[in-house]
Amino acid sequence: MRGSARARRLASLGAFSIAAGAAVLLALPAGAEAPRTFRYASQGDALDLDPHGANEGQTNGIRQEIYEGLVWRSADLALHPALAESWTRLAPTTWRFHLRKNVRFHDGTPFTADDVVFSFRRANHKASDMKTYVALVKDVVRVDDHTVDFLTDGPDPVLLQKLPYHFVMSRRWAEQNGALEPPDKFTKEAPTARRANGTGPFRLVERVPDTRIVLESSPGWWGAAAGKLDVARAEYRPIANAATRVAALLSGEVDLVYPVPPQDLARIRAAPGFRVLEGPEVRTIYLGFDHFRDELLDMPGSGKNPFKDPRVRRAVYQAVDVKAIHDKVMRGSSLVTALLVAPAVQGYDPKLEARLPYDPEAAKKLLAEAGWPQGFAVTMDCPNDRYVNDEAICQAVVPMLARIGLKVSLNAQTKSKFFDKVRSHQTSFFLGGWASTTFDAHYTLSNLLVEQPPGPSWNFGRYSTPRMEALTRDIAVEMDQARRQQLVSEALQLARDDVAYVPLHDQTVAWAARQGVQVPLAPDNIPRLRQVRMAR
């Protein structure tokens, strides 16, 4: 049953990609009718708009309409030239990019190689959360006004896959607006919080935090040369409550909502004039632990951290009934997994999909062996507006763990507060979600399973082992694909065997739109406004 379910999901991924690919159109033919306003809503607001600020999916989804990288990724996951027209590899560690000419930022400033060099320096600033996309880049060198060389610290087999989210910013605008450095935290007061100046298809008109983001098509966008964008104005609304979000669609307030919780799908399907789009997502939902502290935050004065013992982590794993979460919380709209990477991610190994069995009695024995026969108390941090049914998942986990003696206090918060807390490592136990935006396993390994420099990171519990650190370094520069897969599989198995996290499931993408609105479904759960088509 398990294998057949996964096979059906993988088959649907193929159909997903074909359908999305068929919808990839950068611009309407010349002479098309006037563009329109597109209104859409999702769970939460962008954490910030700084091109080198928070590396978070919803945030990047808004940013990529305003800012561009040298490469762009469409909804079918294909890579396309963007600010770079072409590129070539001059040597194992040198890439030359030929930049697009006659491109201007939204304020009219010409785009040149100097902006690419400046953006690399800014992305590598200690406060930047986007340095992961250029982690292996040693330097960016200006060759001439429209040519740059990327010099990497060793061969980089997936450099191009990382560049769509390496956004380019105007050096001149940054100088004029006091934005030479990215903000050191998610803030609504930074120069880039409510102002932006990119080269993308849309320019920022207004941002009212937690209320709306308004974009308008940029008349000078280089990609509009073959015709006009179908969307002239886009209005994004963060609506945390799922029922309210669906009601906004059905009442005609918005044209698209995403994600749609499984419990609301039937309601939308039954409503005339609307349709549901579904497919597998590359985001894995998991439980995480504080691996680092000798004394858990929830146990002041004890000098103990139960989660440093793998038997305790395994007990949590075996106490969580993932099938019940799949059936009752997700209503079948998820894919139970044992791994931290989804099937669409390069490096995924189906041979490692065997989960530890659900067995509360075995979990109790493990706790007793670890010296916790009566269990212990712990706080569980959980977002309530970031992942599909995130708070409901946490609410389901609490009584499951109570059966083995763990007294879990649930702390569910809006994602901005949640991320502020967990990214500063002020957590003992948490629910997380991760999607590889490069669609390569190294991105997951390097962000979730190795120690990072001091400051905010996505490795909230600071998991690290010498072998995982070595594997991740080797994977980063291994060009032989067979050898690279061996290393990735070893790293994934190490994380699984060590119970670094407790994977729960891969999300599925579920969007709903009014009839006449065509939006290619994307497995990263991010709409591309340039690909939206609206019937007249």
Side-chain angles (χ1 to χ4, degrees):
M1 189 73 177
R2 165 94 173 118
S4 62
R6 180 167 287 277
R8 288 194 298 272
R9 289 291 186 185
L10 291 175
S12 69
L13 177 63
F16 182 126
S17 297
I18 292 170
V24 175
L25 297 169
L26 292 184
L28 287 179
E33 295 183 50
R36 292 191 163 193
T37 296
F38 175 67
R39 303 156 303 166
Y40 63 127
S42 190
Q43 291 168 293
D45 194 12
L47 292 175
D48 63 39
L49 291 182
D50 192 287
H52 307 125
N55 182 24
E56 187 259 345
Q58 183 63 44
T59 302
N60 285 331
I62 298 293
R63 279 201 200 109
Q64 71 172 358
E65 306 298 346
I66 304 168
Y67 293 97
E68 295 178 294
L70 301 185
V71 179
W72 177 70
R73 190 187 296 277
S74 53
D76 65 345
L77 309 186
L79 296 176
H80 306 270
L83 291 179
E85 287 185 311
S86 63
W87 48 84
T88 186
R89 199 172 204 160
L90 301 180
T93 59
T94 304
W95 291 72
R96 175 158 293 180
F97 290 86
H98 299 282
L99 306 179
R100 198 175 295 275
K101 298 177 181 178
N102 301 315
V103 173
R104 291 183 177 273
F105 288 92
H106 296 154
D107 68 351
T109 303
F111 158 71
T112 71
D114 292 336
D115 300 303
V116 179
V117 173
F118 165 73
S119 296
F120 167 71
R121 305 277 189 273
R122 196 175 188 274
N124 257 333
H125 187 273
K126 63 181 180 180
S128 168
D129 197 32
M130 304 294 279
K131 60 172 66 74
T132 185
Y133 297 105
V134 287
L136 208 60
V137 178
K138 183 168 55 177
D139 199 7
V140 174
V141 177
R142 179 187 186 279
V143 177
D144 57 40
D145 277 355
H146 294 95
T147 309
V148 293
D149 285 346
F150 275 55
L151 310 179
T152 59
D153 191 13
D156 189 342
V158 292
L159 177 64
L160 293 179
Q161 291 171 241
K162 293 184 282 190
L163 290 183
Y165 280 163
H166 176 44
F167 297 119
V168 175
M169 187 180 192
S170 164
R171 183 184 69 174
R172 177 182 173 186
W173 187 89
E175 291 171 346
Q176 293 174 341
N177 288 272
L180 288 173
E181 299 176 353
D184 60 2
K185 62 181 297 186
F186 309 149
T187 175
K188 298 171 185 176
E189 305 308 324
T192 50
R194 307 187 197 207
R195 289 176 288 161
N197 182 44
T199 60
F202 293 87
R203 63 183 184 86
L204 178 67
V205 174
E206 179 186 32
R207 184 194 181 196
V208 180
D210 301 317
T211 303
R212 64 182 174 273
I213 295 174
V214 180
L215 308 173
E216 288 184 356
S217 60
S218 173
W221 181 52
W222 60 266
K228 296 180 180 178
L229 292 165
D230 205 25
V231 173
R233 180 181 176 92
E235 299 175 359
Y236 172 76
R237 289 178 54 191
I239 305 176
N241 182 273
T244 305
R245 200 161 59 245
V246 171
L249 174 71
L250 298 180
S251 68
E253 292 179 42
V254 296
D255 303 304
L256 171 78
V257 294
Y258 70 102
V260 179
Q263 61 268 23
D264 291 318
L265 292 173
R267 178 186 173 196
I268 296 172
R269 289 193 180 102
F274 300 93
R275 61 195 181 96
V276 172
L277 301 84
E278 291 183 278
E281 189 182 357
V282 293
R283 185 174 307 281
T284 301
I285 305 300
Y286 54 83
L287 303 177
F289 314 94
D290 180 352
H291 292 267
F292 184 78
R293 289 183 177 84
D294 292 325
E295 180 179 277
L296 209 62
L297 289 172
D298 293 292
M299 295 182 175
S302 69
K304 296 180 179 180
N305 178 357
F307 292 135
K308 296 195 81 168
D309 190 324
R311 292 172 296 184
V312 174
R313 303 196 298 270
R314 179 167 179 150
V316 171
Y317 192 127
Q318 295 198 256
V320 175
D321 188 347
V322 290
K323 186 177 186 303
I325 293 174
H326 169 77
D327 292 343
K328 297 177 182 179
V329 180
M330 304 305 294
R331 305 197 184 193
S333 294
S334 64
L335 180 62
V336 173
T337 186
L339 297 176
L340 290 169
V341 295
V345 174
Q346 182 174 293
Y348 167 81
D349 189 343
K351 298 189 295 295
L352 300 176
E353 273 291 359
R355 285 184 60 87
L356 293 173
Y358 168 60
D359 191 338
E361 292 306 312
K364 290 179 183 178
K365 291 178 182 177
L366 285 166
L367 281 179
E369 290 173 9
W372 301 95
Q374 305 304 316
F376 54 90
V378 67
T379 298
M380 181 182 189
D381 292 304
C382 181
N384 59 19
D385 60 358
R386 178 59 188 96
Y387 312 114
V388 179
N389 287 344
D390 41 17
E391 186 173 6
I393 295 169
C394 294
Q395 290 171 340
V397 168
V398 169
M400 292 176 185
L401 297 184
R403 295 188 192 108
I404 65 169
L406 297 192
K407 305 167 189 67
V408 180
S409 298
L410 180 57
N411 177 35
Q413 303 181 87
T414 186
K415 69 175 183 179
S416 59
K417 293 181 178 178
F418 168 79
F419 285 132
D420 275 344
K421 186 174 190 288
V422 298
R423 296 198 68 213
S424 58
H425 309 299
Q426 299 303 305
T427 185
S428 299
F429 182 48
F430 60 90
L431 178 90
W434 190 256
S436 175
T437 54
T438 66
F439 297 89
D440 183 80
H442 181 264
Y443 180 79
T444 298
L445 299 173
S446 62
N447 279 280
L448 298 187
L449 293 163
V450 300
E451 261 286 38
Q452 309 225 346
S457 104
W458 296 96
N459 184 357
F460 306 149
R462 290 192 277 187
Y463 172 85
S464 179
T465 67
R467 182 56 183 158
M468 185 66 77
E469 298 279 345
L471 283 168
T472 304
R473 287 194 299 270
D474 290 345
I475 292 165
V477 297
E478 180 57 63
M479 299 299 290
D480 181 272
Q481 288 304 308
R483 174 58 181 159
R484 193 171 190 267
Q485 181 61 61
Q486 290 176 352
L487 296 173
V488 169
S489 294
E490 182 182 344
L492 293 175
Q493 181 165 352
L494 174 58
R496 187 191 66 172
D497 294 348
D498 204 23
V499 194
Y501 295 88
V502 178
L504 301 178
H505 58 254
D506 297 331
Q507 287 188 164
T508 57
V509 179
W511 300 355
R514 68 171 178 81
Q515 293 290 351
V517 173
Q518 298 181 16
V519 185
L521 197 63
D524 58 5
N525 202 26
I526 296 175
R528 273 73 166 169
L529 295 182
R530 72 187 74 179
Q531 294 184 255
V532 173
R533 298 292 173 263
M534 304 179 71
R536 281 13 188 211

Coordinates of all heavy atoms in Angstrom, one line a residue, residues 441-503:
A441 N 19.7 17.9 -3.0 CA 19.7 17.5 -1.6 C 20.8 18.3 -0.8 O 20.6 18.4 0.4 CB 20.0 16.0 -1.5
H442 N 21.8 18.7 -1.5 CA 22.9 19.4 -0.7 C 22.3 20.7 0.0 O 22.8 21.0 1.1 CB 24.0 19.8 -1.6 CG 25.1 20.5 -0.9 ND1 25.2 21.9 -0.8 CD2 26.2 20.1 -0.2 CE1 26.3 22.3 -0.1 NE2 26.9 21.2 0.3
Y443 N 21.3 21.3 -0.6 CA 20.7 22.5 0.0 C 20.1 22.2 1.3 O 20.2 22.9 2.3 CB 19.7 23.1 -1.0 CG 19.0 24.3 -0.5 CD1 19.6 25.6 -0.6 CD2 17.7 24.2 0.0 CE1 18.9 26.7 -0.2 CE2 17.0 25.4 0.4 CZ 17.6 26.6 0.3 OH 17.0 27.7 0.7
T444 N 19.4 21.0 1.4 CA 18.8 20.5 2.6 C 19.9 20.2 3.6 O 19.8 20.6 4.8 CB 17.9 19.3 2.3 OG1 16.9 19.7 1.4 CG2 17.3 18.8 3.6
L445 N 20.9 19.4 3.2 CA 21.9 19.0 4.1 C 22.7 20.2 4.7 O 22.9 20.2 5.9 CB 22.9 18.1 3.4 CG 22.3 16.8 2.8 CD1 23.4 16.1 2.0 CD2 21.8 15.8 3.9
S446 N 23.0 21.1 3.9 CA 23.8 22.3 4.4 C 23.0 23.2 5.2 O 23.6 24.0 6.0 CB 24.4 23.0 3.2 OG 23.4 23.5 2.3
N447 N 21.7 23.2 5.1 CA 20.9 24.1 5.9 C 20.3 23.5 7.2 O 20.1 24.2 8.2 CB 19.8 24.7 5.1 CG 20.2 25.9 4.2 OD1 20.3 27.0 4.6 ND2 20.5 25.6 2.9
L448 N 20.1 22.2 7.2 CA 19.5 21.6 8.3 C 20.4 20.7 9.1 O 20.0 20.4 10.3 CB 18.3 20.7 7.8 CG 17.1 21.4 7.1 CD1 16.0 20.4 6.9 CD2 16.6 22.6 7.9
L449 N 21.5 20.2 8.6 CA 22.2 19.2 9.2 C 23.7 19.5 9.5 O 24.4 18.6 10.0 CB 22.1 17.9 8.4 CG 20.7 17.3 8.3 CD1 20.6 16.3 7.2 CD2 20.4 16.6 9.7
V450 N 24.1 20.7 9.3 CA 25.5 21.1 9.7 C 25.4 22.3 10.5 O 24.5 23.1 10.4 CB 26.4 21.3 8.5 CG1 26.5 20.0 7.7 CG2 25.9 22.4 7.6
E451 N 26.4 22.6 11.4 CA 26.5 23.8 12.2 C 26.8 25.0 11.3 O 27.5 24.9 10.3 CB 27.5 23.7 13.3 CG 27.0 23.3 14.6 CD 26.2 24.4 15.3 OE1 25.5 25.2 14.6 OE2 26.4 24.5 16.5
Q452 N 26.2 26.1 11.6 CA 26.4 27.3 10.9 C 27.0 28.3 11.7 O 27.2 28.2 12.9 CB 25.0 27.8 10.4 CG 24.2 26.7 9.7 CD 23.5 27.1 8.4 OE1 23.5 28.3 8.1 NE2 23.1 26.2 7.6
P453 N 27.5 29.4 11.1 CA 28.2 30.5 11.9 C 27.2 31.0 13.0 O 26.0 30.9 12.8 CB 28.5 31.6 10.9 CG 28.5 30.8 9.6 CD 27.5 29.7 9.7
P454 N 27.7 31.7 14.0 CA 26.8 32.3 15.0 C 25.8 33.2 14.4 O 26.0 33.9 13.4 CB 27.8 33.1 15.9 CG 29.1 32.4 15.7 CD 29.1 31.9 14.3
G455 N 24.6 33.2 15.0 CA 23.5 34.0 14.4 C 22.4 33.1 13.9 O 22.5 31.9 14.0
P456 N 21.4 33.7 13.3 CA 20.2 33.0 12.9 C 20.6 31.9 11.9 O 21.4 32.1 11.0 CB 19.3 34.0 12.2 CG 19.7 35.3 12.9 CD 21.2 35.2 13.1
S457 N 20.0 30.7 11.9 CA 20.2 29.7 11.0 C 18.9 28.9 10.9 O 18.0 29.0 11.7 CB 21.4 28.8 11.4 OG 21.0 27.6 11.9
W458 N 18.9 27.9 9.9 CA 17.7 27.1 9.8 C 17.9 25.7 10.5 O 17.0 24.9 10.6 CB 17.4 26.9 8.3 CG 17.0 28.2 7.7 CD1 17.8 29.0 7.0 CD2 15.7 28.8 7.7 NE1 17.1 30.1 6.6 CE2 15.8 30.0 7.0 CE3 14.5 28.4 8.3 CZ2 14.7 30.9 6.9 CZ3 13.4 29.3 8.1 CH2 13.5 30.5 7.4
N459 N 19.1 25.5 11.0 CA 19.4 24.4 11.8 C 19.1 24.7 13.3 O 19.9 25.0 14.1 CB 20.9 24.0 11.7 CG 21.3 22.7 12.4 OD1 20.4 22.1 13.1 ND2 22.5 22.3 12.3
F460 N 17.8 24.8 13.5 CA 17.3 25.4 14.8 C 17.9 24.7 16.0 O 18.1 25.3 17.0 CB 15.8 25.4 14.9 CG 15.1 26.0 13.7 CD1 13.8 25.6 13.3 CD2 15.6 27.1 13.0 CE1 13.2 26.1 12.2 CE2 15.0 27.7 11.9 CZ 13.7 27.2 11.5
G461 N 18.0 23.4 15.9 CA 18.5 22.6 17.1 C 20.0 22.4 17.1 O 20.5 21.7 17.9
R462 N 20.7 23.0 16.1 CA 22.2 22.9 16.0 C 22.7 21.4 16.0 O 23.6 21.1 16.6 CB 22.8 23.7 17.0 CG 22.6 25.2 16.8 CD 23.5 26.1 17.7 NE 22.9 26.2 19.0 CZ 23.4 27.0 19.9 NH1 24.5 27.7 19.7 NH2 22.9 27.2 21.1
Y463 N 22.0 20.6 15.1 CA 22.5 19.3 15.0 C 23.8 19.3 14.2 O 24.0 20.0 13.2 CB 21.5 18.4 14.2 CG 22.0 17.1 13.8 CD1 21.9 16.0 14.7 CD2 22.6 16.8 12.5 CE1 22.4 14.7 14.3 CE2 23.1 15.6 12.2 CZ 23.0 14.5 13.1 OH 23.5 13.3 12.7
S464 N 24.8 18.4 14.6 CA 26.0 18.4 13.9 C 26.8 17.1 14.3 O 26.8 16.8 15.5 CB 26.9 19.6 14.1 OG 28.1 19.5 13.5
T465 N 27.4 16.4 13.3 CA 28.4 15.4 13.6 C 29.5 15.5 12.7 O 29.4 16.1 11.6 CB 27.8 14.0 13.4 OG1 27.5 13.8 12.0 CG2 26.5 13.8 14.2
P466 N 30.7 15.1 13.1 CA 31.9 15.3 12.2 C 31.7 14.6 10.8 O 32.1 15.2 9.8 CB 33.0 14.6 13.0 CG 32.6 14.7 14.4 CD 31.1 14.6 14.4
R467 N 31.0 13.4 10.8 CA 30.8 12.8 9.5 C 29.9 13.5 8.6 O 30.1 13.7 7.4 CB 30.3 11.3 9.8 CG 30.1 10.5 8.5 CD 31.4 10.4 7.7 NE 31.2 9.8 6.4 CZ 32.0 9.9 5.4 NH1 33.1 10.7 5.4 NH2 31.8 9.2 4.3
M468 N 28.8 14.1 9.2 CA 27.8 14.8 8.4 C 28.5 16.1 7.9 O 28.3 16.5 6.7 CB 26.6 15.2 9.2 CG 25.5 15.9 8.4 SD 24.8 14.9 7.2 CE 23.7 13.8 8.2
E469 N 29.3 16.8 8.7 CA 30.0 17.9 8.2 C 30.9 17.6 7.0 O 31.0 18.3 6.0 CB 30.9 18.5 9.3 CG 30.1 19.0 10.5 CD 29.4 20.4 10.4 OE1 29.8 21.1 9.4 OE2 28.5 20.7 11.2
A470 N 31.6 16.5 7.1 CA 32.6 16.1 6.1 C 31.8 15.7 4.8 O 32.2 16.0 3.7 CB 33.4 14.9 6.5
L471 N 30.7 14.9 5.0 CA 29.9 14.5 3.8 C 29.4 15.7 3.1 O 29.4 15.8 1.8 CB 28.8 13.6 4.3 CG 29.1 12.2 4.6 CD1 27.9 11.5 5.3 CD2 29.5 11.4 3.3
T472 N 28.9 16.7 3.8 CA 28.3 17.9 3.2 C 29.3 18.7 2.4 O 29.1 19.2 1.3 CB 27.6 18.7 4.2 OG1 26.6 17.9 4.9 CG2 26.8 19.9 3.6
R473 N 30.5 18.8 3.0 CA 31.6 19.5 2.3 C 31.9 18.7 1.0 O 32.2 19.4 -0.1 CB 32.8 19.6 3.2 CG 32.7 20.6 4.3 CD 34.1 20.9 4.9 NE 34.7 19.7 5.5 CZ 34.5 19.3 6.7 NH1 33.7 20.0 7.6 NH2 35.1 18.2 7.2
D474 N 32.0 17.4 1.0 CA 32.4 16.6 -0.2 C 31.3 16.7 -1.2 O 31.6 16.8 -2.4 CB 32.6 15.2 0.2 CG 33.9 15.0 1.1 OD1 34.7 16.0 1.1 OD2 34.1 14.0 1.7
I475 N 30.1 16.6 -0.8 CA 28.9 16.7 -1.8 C 28.9 18.0 -2.5 O 28.6 18.1 -3.7 CB 27.6 16.5 -1.0 CG1 27.5 15.0 -0.5 CG2 26.4 16.7 -2.0 CD1 26.4 14.8 0.5
A476 N 29.3 19.1 -1.9 CA 29.3 20.4 -2.5 C 30.2 20.5 -3.7 O 29.8 21.3 -4.6 CB 29.7 21.4 -1.4
V477 N 31.2 19.7 -3.8 CA 32.2 19.9 -4.9 C 32.4 18.6 -5.7 O 33.2 18.6 -6.6 CB 33.6 20.3 -4.3 CG1 33.5 21.7 -3.6 CG2 34.1 19.3 -3.3
E478 N 31.6 17.6 -5.4 CA 31.7 16.3 -6.2 C 31.0 16.4 -7.5 O 29.8 16.6 -7.6 CB 31.1 15.2 -5.4 CG 31.2 13.8 -6.1 CD 32.7 13.4 -6.4 OE1 33.5 13.3 -5.5 OE2 32.9 13.3 -7.6
M479 N 31.8 16.3 -8.6 CA 31.2 16.4 -9.9 C 30.8 15.1 -10.5 O 29.9 15.1 -11.5 CB 32.3 17.1 -10.9 CG 32.7 18.5 -10.4 SD 31.3 19.7 -10.4 CE 31.0 19.8 -12.2
D480 N 31.3 14.0 -10.1 CA 30.9 12.7 -10.6 C 29.5 12.4 -9.9 O 29.4 12.2 -8.7 CB 31.9 11.6 -10.2 CG 31.5 10.3 -10.7 OD1 30.8 9.5 -10.0 OD2 31.9 9.9 -11.8
Q481 N 28.5 12.3 -10.8 CA 27.1 12.1 -10.3 C 26.9 10.8 -9.5 O 26.2 10.8 -8.5 CB 26.1 12.3 -11.4 CG 26.0 13.7 -12.0 CD 25.6 14.7 -10.9 OE1 24.7 14.5 -10.1 NE2 26.5 15.7 -10.8
A482 N 27.5 9.7 -10.0 CA 27.3 8.5 -9.2 C 28.0 8.5 -7.9 O 27.4 8.1 -6.9 CB 27.9 7.3 -10.1
R483 N 29.2 9.1 -7.8 CA 29.8 9.2 -6.5 C 29.1 10.2 -5.6 O 28.9 10.0 -4.4 CB 31.3 9.7 -6.7 CG 32.0 10.0 -5.4 CD 32.1 8.9 -4.5 NE 32.8 9.2 -3.3 CZ 32.7 8.5 -2.1 NH1 31.9 7.5 -2.0 NH2 33.4 8.9 -1.1
R484 N 28.6 11.3 -6.2 CA 27.8 12.3 -5.4 C 26.6 11.6 -4.8 O 26.2 11.9 -3.7 CB 27.5 13.4 -6.3 CG 27.0 14.7 -5.6 CD 26.8 15.8 -6.6 NE 26.6 17.1 -5.9 CZ 25.3 17.6 -5.6 NH1 24.3 16.9 -6.0 NH2 25.2 18.7 -5.0
Q485 N 25.9 10.8 -5.6 CA 24.7 10.1 -5.1 C 25.0 9.2 -3.9 O 24.3 9.1 -2.9 CB 24.0 9.3 -6.2 CG 22.7 8.7 -5.7 CD 21.7 9.6 -5.2 OE1 21.2 10.5 -6.0 NE2 21.3 9.5 -4.0
Q486 N 26.1 8.5 -4.0 CA 26.6 7.7 -2.9 C 26.8 8.5 -1.6 O 26.3 8.1 -0.5 CB 27.9 7.0 -3.2 CG 27.8 5.9 -4.3 CD 29.1 5.3 -4.6 OE1 30.2 5.8 -4.2 NE2 29.1 4.3 -5.4
L487 N 27.4 9.7 -1.7 CA 27.6 10.5 -0.6 C 26.3 11.1 0.0 O 26.1 11.1 1.2 CB 28.5 11.7 -1.0 CG 30.0 11.3 -1.4 CD1 30.7 12.5 -1.9 CD2 30.7 10.7 -0.2
V488 N 25.4 11.5 -0.9 CA 24.1 12.0 -0.5 C 23.3 10.9 0.3 O 22.8 11.2 1.3 CB 23.3 12.6 -1.7 CG1 21.9 12.9 -1.2 CG2 23.9 13.8 -2.2
S489 N 23.3 9.7 -0.3 CA 22.6 8.6 0.3 C 23.2 8.3 1.7 O 22.4 8.0 2.7 CB 22.6 7.4 -0.5 OG 21.9 7.6 -1.8
E490 N 24.5 8.4 1.8 CA 25.1 8.1 3.2 C 24.7 9.2 4.1 O 24.4 8.9 5.3 CB 26.6 8.1 3.0 CG 27.3 7.8 4.4 CD 28.8 7.8 4.3 OE1 29.4 7.7 3.2 OE2 29.4 7.9 5.4
A491 N 24.6 10.5 3.7 CA 24.2 11.5 4.6 C 22.8 11.4 5.0 O 22.4 11.6 6.2 CB 24.5 12.9 3.9
L492 N 21.9 11.1 4.1 CA 20.5 10.9 4.4 C 20.3 9.7 5.3 O 19.4 9.8 6.2 CB 19.7 10.7 3.1 CG 19.6 11.9 2.1 CD1 18.9 11.5 0.9 CD2 18.9 13.1 2.8
Q493 N 21.0 8.7 5.1 CA 20.9 7.5 6.0 C 21.4 7.9 7.4 O 20.8 7.4 8.4 CB 21.6 6.3 5.5 CG 21.5 5.1 6.4 CD 21.9 3.8 5.7 OE1 22.2 3.8 4.5 NE2 22.0 2.7 6.4
L494 N 22.5 8.6 7.5 CA 23.0 9.0 8.8 C 22.0 9.9 9.5 O 21.8 9.7 10.7 CB 24.3 9.8 8.6 CG 24.9 10.5 9.8 CD1 25.3 9.4 10.9 CD2 26.2 11.3 9.5
A495 N 21.4 10.8 8.9 CA 20.4 11.6 9.5 C 19.2 10.8 10.0 O 18.6 11.0 11.1 CB 19.9 12.7 8.5
R496 N 18.8 9.8 9.2 CA 17.7 8.9 9.5 C 18.1 8.1 10.7 O 17.3 8.0 11.7 CB 17.3 8.0 8.3 CG 16.1 7.2 8.5 CD 15.9 6.2 7.4 NE 17.0 5.2 7.5 CZ 17.0 4.1 6.8 NH1 16.0 3.8 5.9 NH2 17.9 3.2 6.9
D497 N 19.2 7.4 10.7 CA 19.6 6.5 11.7 C 19.9 7.2 13.1 O 19.6 6.7 14.1 CB 20.9 5.7 11.3 CG 20.6 4.8 10.2 OD1 19.4 4.6 9.8 OD2 21.6 4.3 9.6
D498 N 20.3 8.5 13.0 CA 20.7 9.2 14.2 C 19.4 10.0 14.7 O 19.5 10.6 15.8 CB 21.8 10.3 13.8 CG 22.5 10.7 15.1 OD1 22.6 9.9 16.1 OD2 23.1 11.8 15.0
V499 N 18.3 9.9 14.0 CA 17.1 10.6 14.3 C 17.4 12.1 14.6 O 17.1 12.6 15.6 CB 16.3 10.0 15.5 CG1 14.9 10.5 15.6 CG2 16.3 8.4 15.4
A500 N 18.1 12.6 13.6 CA 18.4 14.1 13.7 C 17.1 14.9 13.7 O 17.0 15.9 14.4 CB 19.2 14.5 12.5
Y501 N 16.1 14.4 13.0 CA 14.8 15.0 12.9 C 13.8 13.8 12.9 O 14.2 12.6 12.6 CB 14.5 15.9 11.7 CG 15.4 17.1 11.7 CD1 16.7 17.1 11.1 CD2 14.9 18.3 12.2 CE1 17.5 18.2 11.1 CE2 15.7 19.5 12.2 CZ 17.0 19.4 11.6 OH 17.7 20.6 11.6
V502 N 12.5 14.1 13.0 CA 11.5 13.1 12.8 C 10.7 13.5 11.6 O 9.8 14.4 11.7 CB 10.5 13.0 14.0 CG1 9.4 11.9 13.8 CG2 11.3 12.6 15.3
P503 N 11.0 13.0 10.4 CA 10.2 13.4 9.2 C 8.7 12.9 9.4 O 8.5 11.8 9.9 CB 10.9 12.7 8.1 CG 12.3 12.4 8.6 CD 12.1 12.1 10.1

